[in-house]
Amino acid sequence: MLLHIMKGICLLLLTLSCAIAADPYDGYSGQGGMTSNAISFNAYAYHYDKGFTGPDAMGWDPNLNYAWSRIGAAVACKIPFSKDKMMKQLVAKFKEDTFTHEIVGIQFHAAQIEANKEFCTKEHVTELKQVIPQFEKGNFPKKF
C-alpha cells in the first residue's frame, strides 16, 4: 500500500514538474507585459522569443524591435560588434536617428536583459553570434 502511495506521489510530482517546465513564461499570456511600469522577466522573455508586436511593440516596428532586442542582448551578453557600422545600418534600414536607436531601442533592451542574470544562455549567445554580423552588413530579417 505504501509503495502505491509513493508511486502516486512520484507520478504527481513528475506531472507537475513537466507542466512547469512546459511554460517558460510562467503563465504570461503575451499581452500587455511590455506596457507595464515594471516589466517582468517572463514578459520580456516571451516577447524576445515571440516578437514585440501589437501594444507590446510600444508603437515601434516589430522588426525594428527584433533588431534592437538582439543588439541590446549583444551589449548585455558582451558580444562584440561595431557600434558605428550598426548605427549606420539601422539608420539606413529603419530611419530614425542614432539617438533613438541607441537610447530608446538598444539601451532599453540591454537594460531589460541585464536585469535578468539568467538571460545570456548558450542558446541566446549562439543566436547572437549568428545574427549580429548579419545586422552589421545591413541584413535585417523581416520576421513580422
Side-chain angles (χ1 to χ4, degrees):
M1 180 75 156
L2 182 59
L3 183 59
H4 291 299
I5 293 171
M6 290 178 67
K7 284 182 181 178
I9 291 171
C10 286
L11 183 59
L12 177 64
L13 290 173
L14 180 61
T15 302
L16 288 173
S17 67
C18 287
I20 291 168
D23 183 11
Y25 311 113
D26 236 4
Y28 175 68
S29 67
Q31 295 291 319
M34 296 303 296
T35 61
S36 173
N37 286 336
I39 299 167
S40 67
F41 294 158
N42 56 325
Y44 185 82
Y46 179 95
H47 292 290
Y48 185 92
D49 291 344
K50 299 182 182 290
F52 299 89
T53 59
D56 293 292
M58 303 295 290
W60 297 102
D61 176 340
N63 293 301
L64 176 55
N65 261 309
Y66 173 81
W68 281 344
S69 68
R70 273 38 186 195
I71 301 165
V75 170
C77 298
K78 313 282 190 263
I79 307 297
F81 64 90
S82 168
K83 182 178 168 183
D84 290 338
K85 284 182 187 176
M86 195 66 78
M87 287 300 139
K88 286 178 186 174
Q89 297 298 353
L90 284 167
V91 169
K93 173 67 176 178
F94 297 104
K95 310 306 177 230
E96 305 301 336
D97 56 35
T98 57
F99 177 84
T100 300
H101 289 298
E102 177 75 21
I103 305 301
V104 175
I106 297 166
Q107 291 305 315
F108 167 81
H109 285 280
Q112 298 305 312
I113 292 164
E114 287 168 350
N116 182 354
K117 300 299 181 206
E118 296 178 22
F119 187 89
C120 296
T121 63
K122 180 181 177 184
E123 292 80 17
H124 282 143
V125 169
T126 297
E127 179 207 15
L128 295 170
K129 287 181 177 179
Q130 292 171 354
V131 300
I132 293 300
Q134 295 303 311
F135 291 178
E136 285 181 306
K137 295 176 187 172
N139 298 327
F140 296 98
K142 185 169 176 132
K143 295 179 95 39
F144 307 99

